[in-house]
Amino acid sequence: MNKRGHVLNALLLSIGLGYILHPSGDIETLRTIAEVSVPVVLGALFPDVDTAFGRHRKTLHNLLVLGVFAAWPTYFGNLHYVWIGILTHYVLDILGSKRGIALFYPFEKEYNLPVGVPVSSRYADAVMLAVTAVELIGAAIIIYREPLAQIGLQSLGLL
């Protein structure tokens, strides 16, 4: 997936999460979208920083990086939602591209699924939209069906 696809995915995901968390469509929905969109977009762009140093789709495209950003808010109280952007970046690179990513870097093996398309494909946007829809369905199921997720969202003041 290219940068444009990652940013569009993050923006659409942020809008969808805003409506999943506050479906009324009022000012609270818009506030949630605003709160979620910046960190999710930044998180979606972060893994590709490894093009400036290291090895692309290896150095910052792995589970250790995701784990650090997922745990960060617990210990430091900031950077909430950045991990969502990073996770969706990984999902797009695994599902939406031919190459895949090295999830267990420094082990070099790259993981992908055979449904991916080349970055330059005319189907890249369609794949991105399909992945975004699946991500939003998954988020809705987690948020509305899992009691532990609801407790966590209530403690963050999101429900």
Side-chain angles (χ1 to χ4, degrees), residues 14-158:
S14 298
I15 293 167
L17 287 172
Y19 278 96
I20 289 170
L21 293 169
H22 296 285
S24 60
D26 60 5
I27 195 72
E28 191 63 30
T29 306
L30 295 175
R31 188 175 74 70
T32 303
I33 291 169
E35 284 179 0
V36 171
S37 64
V38 172
V40 171
V41 170
L42 290 174
L45 291 172
F46 179 75
D48 284 342
V49 170
D50 67 7
T51 59
F53 71 92
R55 301 178 63 200
H56 184 53
R57 293 203 179 182
K58 293 185 185 339
T59 308
L60 296 177
H61 287 70
N62 58 68
L63 294 177
L64 177 61
V65 170
L66 178 61
V68 167
F69 277 95
W72 189 277
T74 302
Y75 296 105
F76 298 103
N78 61 2
L79 299 180
H80 297 283
Y81 311 115
V82 172
W83 69 272
I84 295 172
I86 292 171
L87 178 62
T88 63
H89 185 111
Y90 293 179
V91 169
L92 278 175
D93 281 353
I94 290 171
L95 294 175
S97 72
K98 291 261 185 213
R99 182 172 166 199
I101 61 175
L103 283 174
F104 302 104
Y105 187 75
F107 299 106
E108 299 287 324
K109 181 171 176 28
E110 292 183 353
Y111 295 90
N112 68 347
L113 292 177
V115 296
V117 296
V119 173
S120 61
S121 170
R122 66 182 187 168
Y123 300 110
D125 286 343
V127 170
M128 180 273 301
L129 289 172
V131 169
T132 304
V134 170
E135 290 170 340
L136 286 171
I137 290 167
I141 290 169
I142 290 169
I143 290 169
Y144 290 118
R145 297 286 183 200
E146 294 299 323
L148 289 177
Q150 291 174 2
I151 291 168
L153 290 170
Q154 287 170 348
S155 69
L156 292 172
L158 294 173

